[in-house]
Amino acid sequence: MACDMRIAAQNARFGLVFVKRGLHPDMGGSFFLPRIVGTARACEMIFTGKIIDADEADRIGLVNRVVPSDKVMEEARLLAEQIAGGPSVAMGMSKISIYQALDSDLNAALDYEAFAQSICSQTEDAKEGVLSFLEKRDPVFKGR
């Protein structure tokens, strides 16, 4: 759950079964799960120790997608390559923005967005993004 994105195999199963042993969730389970699936679903999973399959995990937003078991690494690699080829400054600042916004108000989020946009707009990648749009081609980002 501590990952930004999650790809699950069709045969994957998920659960926080600590309650079945008289224990409290650990490893951030009580922090991450409500933020991913919502409070009510997190309570149900944590209070009952319910095990869910990959399709249910997909339906409730616990995973981004479900793929055949033999394709998990291939799908993860494709996603990683897509992200690695993107504008790293913009993506890094976007990640900060997303996670800061979970614990801030709208004004703070808008302030950070304006700050990040002012930095990103000065990068070579932003210039390449605009130029590639005008030239109707895919951008080639360099992380600068």
Side-chain angles (χ1 to χ4, degrees), residues 68-79:
S69 301
D70 62 340
K71 300 287 185 194
V72 173
M73 290 307 297
E74 180 182 335
E75 287 289 322
R77 190 171 293 110
L78 287 171
L79 180 59

Side-chain angles (χ1 to χ4, degrees), residues 120-134:
C120 291
S121 66
Q122 301 302 309
T123 65
E124 289 180 35
D125 283 347
K127 291 172 182 65
E128 167 63 11
V130 171
L131 184 61
S132 68
F133 174 77
L134 295 173

Side-chain angles (χ1 to χ4, degrees), residues 8-10 12-14 36-37 41 44-45 50-66:
Q10 283 177 325
R13 296 170 17 124
F14 302 88
I36 297 168
V37 303
R41 283 200 172 96
E44 181 180 357
M45 289 180 71
K50 178 182 178 182
I51 304 280
I52 61 172
D53 64 19
D55 289 332
E56 177 71 0
D58 187 26
R59 189 183 73 72
I60 66 172
L62 184 57
V63 299
N64 292 72
R65 71 178 69 99
V66 176

Side-chain angles (χ1 to χ4, degrees), residues 13-141:
R13 296 170 17 124
F14 302 88
L16 274 77
V17 297
F18 297 94
V19 72
K20 290 183 175 184
R21 304 297 172 255
L23 297 170
H24 182 281
D26 65 9
M27 303 290 293
S30 62
F31 178 85
F32 293 113
L33 191 61
R35 285 169 167 78
I36 297 168
V37 303
T39 304
R41 283 200 172 96
C43 286
E44 181 180 357
M45 289 180 71
I46 291 170
F47 297 167
T48 66
K50 178 182 178 182
I51 304 280
I52 61 172
D53 64 19
D55 289 332
E56 177 71 0
D58 187 26
R59 189 183 73 72
I60 66 172
L62 184 57
V63 299
N64 292 72
R65 71 178 69 99
V66 176
V67 299
S69 301
D70 62 340
K71 300 287 185 194
V72 173
M73 290 307 297
E74 180 182 335
E75 287 289 322
R77 190 171 293 110
L78 287 171
L79 180 59
E81 288 170 358
Q82 180 183 1
I83 292 167
S88 59
V89 174
M91 287 190 295
M93 296 193 89
S94 295
K95 180 174 177 170
I96 291 168
S97 180
I98 290 165
Y99 288 104
Q100 279 183 349
L102 292 172
D103 293 320
S104 66
D105 60 27
L106 177 59
N107 287 332
L110 293 173
D111 286 344
Y112 185 81
E113 286 179 357
F115 165 74
Q117 196 68 291
S118 69
I119 290 175
C120 291
S121 66
Q122 301 302 309
T123 65
E124 289 180 35
D125 283 347
K127 291 172 182 65
E128 167 63 11
V130 171
L131 184 61
S132 68
F133 174 77
L134 295 173
E135 295 175 351
K136 299 184 183 340
R137 62 175 174 79
D138 290 334
V140 179
F141 296 118

